[in-house]
Amino acid sequence: MVRAQEQPPDWRVVDARPSAAVAEVLERLLAPRVAEAARLDASFGRQVAQWLAATTRGGGRRLRSAFVWWGLRVACPAPPPGTVAAALTVGAAVELLQSCALVQDDVMDNSPVRRGQPALHVLLGSTRPAAAGPGALGFGQSAAVLAGDLAMVWAEDTFADAHPPPEVAAPVRRLWSVLRTEMIAGQYLDLAGQADASHSATHALRTAVLKSGRYSVARPLELGALLAAAPPEVCRVLRAAGGAAGLAFQLRDDLLAVWGDPAHTGKPTGEDIREGKPTLLAALGFSRAAARPRGAALAVLRRCYGNPAAGPAELAAVREVLEETGARRDVEAHIARLVGRASAHVEALPEAPDARARLLALVRLAAGTVAPADAPPAPAPAHPRPARGGSGPGHAAPQAPGPVRPAGPQRPDPEDRTRPHARAAAPHGRRPLRPPAPKPPGTHPNPSPAEEPS
Amino acid sequence: MVRAQEQPPDWRVVDARPSAAVAEVLERLLAPRVAEAARLDASFGRQVAQWLAATTRGGGRRLRSAFVWWGLRVACPAPPPGTVAAALTVGAAVELLQSCALVQDDVMDNSPVRRGQPALHVLLGSTRPAAAGPGALGFGQSAAVLAGDLAMVWAEDTFADAHPPPEVAAPVRRLWSVLRTEMIAGQYLDLAGQADASHSATHALRTAVLKSGRYSVARPLELGALLAAAPPEVCRVLRAAGGAAGLAFQLRDDLLAVWGDPAHTGKPTGEDIREGKPTLLAALGFSRAAARPRGAALAVLRRCYGNPAAGPAELAAVREVLEETGARRDVEAHIARLVGRASAHVEALPEAPDARARLLALVRLAAGTVAPADAPPAPAPAHPRPARGGSGPGHAAPQAPGPVRPAGPQRPDPEDRTRPHARAAAPHGRRPLRPPAPKPPGTHPNPSPAEEPS
C-alpha cells in the first residue's frame, strides 16, 4: 500500500498552507489509484478514475481538511510528526469523501455544471453520446454513481492508512463512522425536503445541521481535536463552534445560490430555485409571504420555487420576494449570530491563540462574513460547497465589501485570506478552558434546531 | 462500537452452517446501525436504514461469505477463535458490500423486482409517489443510491472491526481494497458493454471475470486464506480456482436470466435480453448467427436483443436463436470445463479434505452443476446473484436434473446442498501442495480471458 505520508512536514509548514499540504498527500495517493484502475481496464482508468482524480485535484479550497487541521492545532500547539501525518491523511480522506458527495449529488440534482466545468456525469455521458443507457439512468449518470463509489473506496483506504496514535484510534474511527452517516442522512433530508416541497424552517435547519453543521465543519474539527487526544470538554466546545459555523456556511451558500455571480460560483445561479431546495431562506420567504394579507408574493413563490422551467423573469421575481419579505436580511442576520456564537466558543478554548485566530478567520471565510481588514482583496476564489446536495462548491467567495480583482497569472492560495493580517503571538502554554460563552439572543423563529436537531 | 463477534462460535459449528454464523454477525451489526440512523432522522432510520437492513437480512445464501469461510478452512484445518471471528466479520462485510451493489445496480438497470419483492428504489419511491424527483432521477432512485452508500459505510465499518491477526492485517486490508475496486470496475464494464451494444466475447468475459470471477469468488476465497496466513502458493491456487468457479457462476446466471423460472429466480425472465446485457451467451449467439449464410437469426437478435420493449414473442424468438445456434450448449460446456478446472485446482491443495469437499460442492452449486448425488432434492433456493449488475441474486437454483419439491413449512438451509452425502474424514495433517492440474483442453473461441483478462 502506498503510504500517504512518508515524511510529514513540520507543523509550521502546514500552518502556512494547510491546503497545499493536503493536496500533496492527495497527489501521492491519486496517481497509484488511477494506475491500478487502468490495469483493470483502460477505459475505467482513463475515464472513471482519471476524471475522478481530476475532480478531486480541483477540489476548491479544501475547507473540510482545513477544519481537521485547525481542530488539531487549537488543541495541540506543537503536534509531533506522527500526528501531523495522521491529520493530513485524515484530511485527504475527508476531501475524497466530499468528491463522492459532489459527483453523486450532481447526478441526483441533474446539475450539468460544477466549478464552471461539465459535471462528471456529463463528461462520462459524452463518451457514449448515442447510448440511451441501460435503464432509467443514462450511461453517464450510472457511471458517475460508480465514480462516487470509487471515491468512497479511496476515502476509506486513505482513512485506514492514516494510523492515528493508538490511544485515539478507536474514537477517531468511531467519529469517522458518524461523519459519513451524517453526510448520507443530510443528503437524504435534502432529497426528501425537495420531494415533499417542504417549506418548513425546522426541516431546512435539520438538513443544514446534518449536511453542513456536522458533516462539513463540526466533525472535521472534532476529528482534528481527537487526533491530538484533546480532552472531552475541548471536543465539546469545538463541536458546538463547528455546528454554528457550519450552519452559517450552509446559509451563506443558500444566499449565493440565489444571488451569487456564476462567474465566481462556477454554477448557474437559480438552480436552487428551480430545484425547490428546502432552504431556510425559502422557508422564511414562504412563511412571510403567507402572512401577507394579499397573496401576490406567495403566488410568485408557489409558481416559481421548485419549477424546473423557471426562466430569468421567474428567478428575478423570486429574488424580489425573498428580498422584499425580509427573508434575505433575516438569513444574513442569522449568519452573523451564528458566527458570533462560533467565535465565542472558539475564544473559550485555552490554547494556541495563533491557531484560534486562524480558525476564526476560516469560519468567517466560510460564512462569508470576512471583514475587509481580514481579507486583502484577492482574486475571488471558488466558494467551497458546504455539503453534499448543496448548490455547489463553486459558489463565489463571500460577497464581502470591496472590489474583486481579476486573477493574476499566479493565483494566490485563497486560504491566505484566512490569515489575519496581525498575526497573534507564537503558541504559548496552556490556559484553563473558559466557560462557554452565552448564546446571543436569537430572534429566529426556530433557533433551537440551528445547533442540534435531536 | 458494537463488536461484531463477542464470542465466536467454534469452527466446527460454523462448518455446519456458515450462512447462519454470518447471519448472526450481521444481526448483531444491523440493529444498532438502524437505531443510529433513526436517531439522526426518523424517516432516514425507518425507510433507508431499516429497509436496507431488511434487504441485507434477506440476502440469499450468502455465497460470498461462504467462500471466505471455505477459503479459510481449506488453508487451516482448525482455526483458532480469533481467526474464526475475523473470518465471520469479514464475511459480513462482504455481504454488506453486496447489498450496496444490488441496491445501486437495480437503480442503474431500472429493475423493479428483486427476489420476488419490489426493489429498494421502488419501495423508497412509493413513500413519495407524487414527487417527480429533484432532477433526472426520481426520489426513489436517488434515495436508493444513498442507501447503497450507507451499505458501503456499514461494510467498511464492519471490515474495520474484523481485527485480523496482526501479521496478516496489512495484506488483508490490501486485498479488501482490490476486491472493492474490481467490483466497481466490473459493473462499469457491464454498463459500458450495454451502452456500446457490445457483442464481443472478449468484453463479455472480461466483465464476467471482474464481476464474478474475482469480486464474488476468487477474492473472497483469497481473503479467507490470507486470514489463515496461508502461504502464497495456496493463495495462488485458490485465486485460480475461484476465478474459474466465479466465471462459471456468472455464465450460469446468464443462462438463468434467459431460461430460468421467475418463481425460482425472483426476477422476471428476459431482463437481460431487454437490457442487452453483454454476456458471453449473447456474444456467441451473435457471432454464430452472423456466420450463417441467411440472416434471419441475426435479424432476430438485432431486433430484439437490447430492445426494452421486447414482448413474450420477441423473447421466445431470441431464446430459440440462442438454442438453435448452439450458443446455449457451448456456454453449458464452458461452465463444465471451468468447474473441472476449479476442481482440479482445489484438489491440488494439501490440507483439510473435508473442507475441500465442501468448497467443491459450493463451487458446483454456484455453477449450477450439482449432480443429483450431491444434491438431495431440496426446495429450490433462490440462486445467489453472482455479481453486481447481473440479472439478480434471485435466480433459480441450478437447473439440475430431478424434480423440484415444494418448500416445506421449515425451509432447510439451502447451503446444506453444498455438503456431500458422503462426508470426508476429519481434518488431518498437512500434505504437500500438488502441482496445479493442467487446464482441460478448451474449445472456446476466447479461452484466455476466461481466467485473467490482463
Side-chain angles (χ1 to χ4, degrees):
Chain A
M1 204 169 290
V2 176
R3 288 305 305 267
Q5 193 68 22
E6 295 293 355
Q7 290 188 314
D10 184 85
W11 64 267
R12 295 169 198 84
V13 175
V14 181
D15 264 14
R17 279 186 66 187
S19 67
V22 170
E24 214 169 285
V25 175
L26 281 170
E27 205 42 60
R28 225 169 289 147
L29 290 164
L30 290 172
R33 286 297 186 162
V34 172
E36 182 197 7
R39 276 195 299 276
L40 290 178
D41 177 75
S43 96
F44 181 64
R46 201 174 50 241
Q47 288 160 7
V48 179
Q50 182 68 60
W51 287 347
L52 174 63
T55 296
T56 305
R57 283 190 187 102
R61 284 177 303 176
R62 313 210 176 286
L63 226 82
R64 289 165 192 76
S65 49
F67 280 121
V68 172
W69 179 253
W70 295 114
L72 168 74
R73 285 281 289 103
V74 295
C76 180
T83 306
V84 169
L88 293 177
T89 309
V90 168
V94 169
E95 297 293 341
L96 285 163
L97 195 63
Q98 177 64 4
S99 288
C100 164
L102 295 185
V103 165
Q104 292 189 346
D105 293 356
D106 282 346
V107 174
M108 294 176 195
D109 290 345
N110 203 22
S111 293
V113 174
R114 164 76 51 194
R115 296 188 197 113
Q117 302 292 325
L120 190 56
H121 65 98
V122 174
L123 278 176
L124 287 164
S126 72
T127 64
R128 270 133 183 120
L137 271 62
F139 172 78
Q141 295 170 310
S142 292
V145 169
L146 291 177
D149 292 346
L150 189 63
M152 199 187 285
V153 165
W154 291 358
E156 300 291 345
D157 288 347
T158 302
F159 181 86
D161 209 30
H163 302 295
E167 66 276 17
V168 299
V172 166
R173 172 88 223 167
R174 170 80 194 133
L175 191 58
W176 173 247
S177 170
V178 168
L179 175 147
R180 286 131 71 236
T181 308
E182 288 172 348
M183 172 186 89
I184 295 168
Q187 173 66 358
Y188 172 79
L189 285 186
D190 207 19
L191 292 174
Q194 279 170 265
D196 295 341
S198 165
H199 307 131
S200 146
T202 308
H203 181 93
L205 283 170
R206 284 175 68 87
T207 306
V209 163
L210 282 174
K211 281 175 52 177
S212 303
R214 293 199 196 164
Y215 159 61
S216 294
V217 185
R219 299 310 187 190
L221 276 175
E222 204 180 345
L223 273 173
L226 269 184
L227 286 169
E233 66 270 22
V234 168
C235 289
R236 190 185 49 70
V237 167
L238 280 174
R239 211 158 44 228
L247 185 52
F249 181 15
Q250 179 65 54
L251 298 183
R252 172 63 55 200
D253 195 67
D254 296 344
L255 293 174
L256 289 169
V258 174
W259 287 281
D261 177 353
H264 299 150
T265 62
K267 293 285 259 185
T269 313
E271 273 192 359
D272 275 19
I273 296 175
R274 290 198 191 90
E275 290 165 10
K277 284 271 177 200
T279 63
L280 178 65
L281 176 70
L284 291 178
F286 270 94
S287 66
R288 302 282 155 81
R292 295 275 174 85
R294 285 171 55 204
L298 187 60
V300 165
L301 292 183
R302 284 197 173 141
R303 193 177 75 244
C304 309
Y305 202 84
N307 174 2
E314 283 83 7
L315 298 182
V318 168
R319 286 191 194 99
E320 199 189 323
V321 169
L322 295 175
E323 294 260 17
E324 179 256 334
T325 53
R328 179 183 191 174
R329 186 194 59 228
D330 285 0
V331 171
E332 285 281 7
H334 198 48
I335 290 173
R337 278 195 300 275
L338 288 164
V339 170
R341 197 179 300 170
S343 303
H345 283 302
V346 171
E347 290 296 358
L349 290 171
E351 309 233 28
D354 186 39
R356 272 189 282 133
R358 294 289 296 279
L359 173 57
L360 283 179
L362 193 65
V363 165
R364 284 195 293 273
L365 177 71
T369 59
V370 183
D374 277 343
H383 186 70
R385 181 175 205 171
R388 60 179 301 163
S391 20
H395 278 170
Q399 296 179 312
V404 172
R405 292 199 197 153
Q410 247 210 324
R411 184 175 169 141
D413 181 12
E415 214 172 352
D416 285 349
R417 297 183 65 182
T418 67
R419 193 181 320 181
H421 281 181
R423 294 288 296 277
H428 58 63
R430 293 185 174 246
R431 57 178 185 146
L433 188 71
R434 291 189 229 145
K439 288 182 190 177
T443 57
H444 193 270
N446 273 297
S448 59
E451 282 199 314
E452 287 296 294
S454 56
Chain B
M1 203 169 289
V2 177
R3 288 305 305 266
Q5 193 68 22
E6 295 294 355
Q7 290 188 313
D10 183 86
W11 62 268
R12 295 170 198 84
V13 174
V14 181
D15 264 13
R17 280 187 66 188
S19 67
V22 170
E24 215 169 285
V25 175
L26 281 170
E27 205 41 60
R28 226 169 289 146
L29 291 164
L30 291 172
R33 286 297 186 161
V34 172
E36 183 198 6
R39 275 195 299 276
L40 291 178
D41 178 75
S43 96
F44 181 64
R46 202 174 50 240
Q47 288 160 8
V48 179
Q50 183 67 61
W51 287 348
L52 174 63
T55 296
T56 305
R57 283 190 186 101
R61 285 177 302 176
R62 314 209 176 287
L63 227 81
R64 288 165 191 77
S65 49
F67 280 121
V68 172
W69 179 254
W70 295 116
L72 169 74
R73 286 281 288 102
V74 296
C76 179
T83 306
V84 169
L88 293 177
T89 308
V90 168
V94 169
E95 297 293 342
L96 285 163
L97 195 63
Q98 177 64 5
S99 288
C100 164
L102 295 185
V103 165
Q104 292 189 346
D105 292 356
D106 282 346
V107 174
M108 294 176 195
D109 290 345
N110 203 21
S111 293
V113 175
R114 164 75 52 194
R115 296 188 196 114
Q117 304 291 325
L120 189 56
H121 65 97
V122 174
L123 278 176
L124 287 164
S126 71
T127 64
R128 271 136 183 118
L137 271 63
F139 172 78
Q141 295 171 309
S142 292
V145 169
L146 290 177
D149 291 347
L150 189 63
M152 200 188 283
V153 166
W154 291 358
E156 300 290 345
D157 288 347
T158 302
F159 181 86
D161 209 31
H163 302 297
E167 66 276 16
V168 298
V172 166
R173 172 88 222 166
R174 171 78 195 134
L175 191 58
W176 173 246
S177 170
V178 168
L179 175 147
R180 286 131 70 237
T181 308
E182 288 173 348
M183 172 186 88
I184 295 168
Q187 173 66 359
Y188 172 79
L189 285 186
D190 207 18
L191 293 173
Q194 279 171 264
D196 295 342
S198 164
H199 307 131
S200 146
T202 308
H203 182 93
L205 283 170
R206 284 176 68 87
T207 307
V209 163
L210 282 175
K211 281 175 51 176
S212 302
R214 293 198 195 165
Y215 159 62
S216 293
V217 185
R219 299 309 187 190
L221 277 175
E222 204 180 345
L223 272 174
L226 269 184
L227 286 168
E233 65 269 23
V234 168
C235 291
R236 191 185 48 71
V237 167
L238 280 174
R239 210 157 46 227
L247 185 51
F249 181 15
Q250 180 65 54
L251 297 183
R252 172 64 55 200
D253 195 66
D254 295 344
L255 292 174
L256 288 170
V258 173
W259 286 281
D261 178 352
H264 299 149
T265 63
K267 294 284 259 186
T269 314
E271 272 192 358
D272 274 19
I273 295 175
R274 289 199 192 89
E275 290 165 9
K277 283 272 177 197
T279 63
L280 177 65
L281 176 69
L284 291 178
F286 271 93
S287 66
R288 302 282 157 81
R292 296 274 175 88
R294 286 170 55 204
L298 186 60
V300 165
L301 292 183
R302 284 198 174 140
R303 194 177 72 245
C304 309
Y305 202 83
N307 174 2
E314 284 83 9
L315 298 181
V318 169
R319 284 190 194 100
E320 199 189 322
V321 170
L322 295 175
E323 294 260 17
E324 180 255 335
T325 54
R328 179 183 191 176
R329 187 195 57 229
D330 285 1
V331 171
E332 285 281 6
H334 197 49
I335 291 172
R337 278 194 301 275
L338 288 164
V339 170
R341 198 179 300 170
S343 303
H345 282 301
V346 170
E347 290 297 357
L349 290 170
E351 309 231 29
D354 186 39
R356 273 188 281 132
R358 294 290 297 279
L359 173 56
L360 282 180
L362 193 65
V363 166
R364 285 194 294 271
L365 177 72
T369 59
V370 183
D374 277 343
H383 186 70
R385 180 176 206 173
R388 61 178 301 163
S391 20
H395 278 169
Q399 296 178 312
V404 172
R405 291 199 196 152
Q410 246 210 324
R411 185 174 168 142
D413 180 11
E415 215 173 350
D416 285 350
R417 297 183 66 185
T418 68
R419 192 180 320 182
H421 281 182
R423 295 287 295 277
H428 58 62
R430 294 185 173 246
R431 57 177 185 144
L433 187 72
R434 290 190 232 146
K439 288 183 190 175
T443 57
H444 193 272
N446 274 296
S448 59
E451 283 200 315
E452 285 298 292
S454 56

